[in-house]
Amino acid sequence: MLRPRLRFACALLALLASGLACGPAAAAALADEIRALLVRGDTTAALARAEQAEAVAPGEPEPRFLKAVVLMQSAQDDAALALFTKLTQEFPELPDTYNNIALLQARAGRLELAREALLQALRNDPGHRAARTNLAQVYLMLAVQEWTSAAQADPSDEAVARQLATARALLAPSP
């Protein structure tokens, strides 16, 4: 029995040999494999497939978007941010690109830039659930920053200390 990757490669080769595979269709097939590799945590193979998909359909946003996601999951944040930023210049209407830029900015502690990216994502798609949830998280992180400053300015203010503790508890990972 053929392994899934080998089956995929055989199918892709058959399509290419028959002349039926066009750039976007082949890239879409590769995109499915990239997503599966990411789910399994195989970022090395996912990056190789993303680069292959990009070569098959260089003008399409999805292969480059997936490559940036792989870079982000591989902790190559600068490269991912550069690629996501380039995508926003070429495809400014895509909300997911801005959402991922925001995740990278927040991870780097640049909360205002994260907020701006999320607001752009929501201008592009007001119903974008992930962007709305991430915006709430960024606002909470900004609130923690401000309450921390207020608590440092007046350590005896118990109300601020309670608000800070509550906000920090909301940011803590769920058990």
Side-chain angles (χ1 to χ4, degrees):
M1 180 176 214
L2 291 175
R3 288 193 256 166
R5 278 191 232 170
L6 186 55
R7 274 194 311 245
F8 171 78
C10 290
L12 186 56
L13 286 173
L15 282 173
L16 289 169
S18 69
L20 296 176
C22 63
L30 284 167
D32 290 339
E33 186 179 1
I34 294 163
R35 285 187 195 91
L37 289 166
L38 284 173
V39 168
R40 288 195 304 254
D42 190 349
T43 55
T44 303
L47 184 57
R49 289 291 189 234
E51 288 171 349
Q52 188 177 16
E54 189 177 14
V56 170
E60 294 296 313
E62 186 176 30
R64 289 183 287 157
F65 178 85
L66 288 171
K67 180 179 178 181
V69 169
V70 173
L71 291 169
M72 189 168 81
Q73 288 191 7
S74 301
Q76 297 180 48
D77 291 359
D78 291 341
L81 184 58
L83 189 49
F84 282 133
T85 300
K86 186 167 174 53
L87 280 167
T88 63
Q89 294 163 354
E90 295 176 40
F91 304 94
E93 71 280 2
L94 300 176
D96 288 322
T97 307
Y98 291 100
N99 186 59
N100 284 315
I101 286 173
L103 294 174
L104 290 166
Q105 297 290 17
R107 188 156 53 185
R110 298 182 293 260
L111 298 178
E112 282 299 328
L113 293 173
R115 184 184 68 81
E116 290 171 19
L118 290 165
L119 289 172
Q120 183 59 50
L122 290 168
R123 278 191 288 277
N124 290 351
D125 180 3
H128 197 283
R129 187 173 174 267
R132 190 146 316 274
T133 301
N134 290 334
L135 182 60
Q137 188 86 359
V138 167
Y139 279 135
L140 188 54
M141 293 166 79
L142 286 165
V144 165
Q145 280 184 347
E146 292 305 317
W147 279 321
T148 299
S149 295
Q152 289 170 347
D154 184 4
S156 65
D157 190 334
E158 291 180 21
V160 170
R162 278 192 307 277
Q163 289 171 322
L164 177 57
T166 300
R168 282 184 175 155
L170 288 171
L171 285 174
S174 300

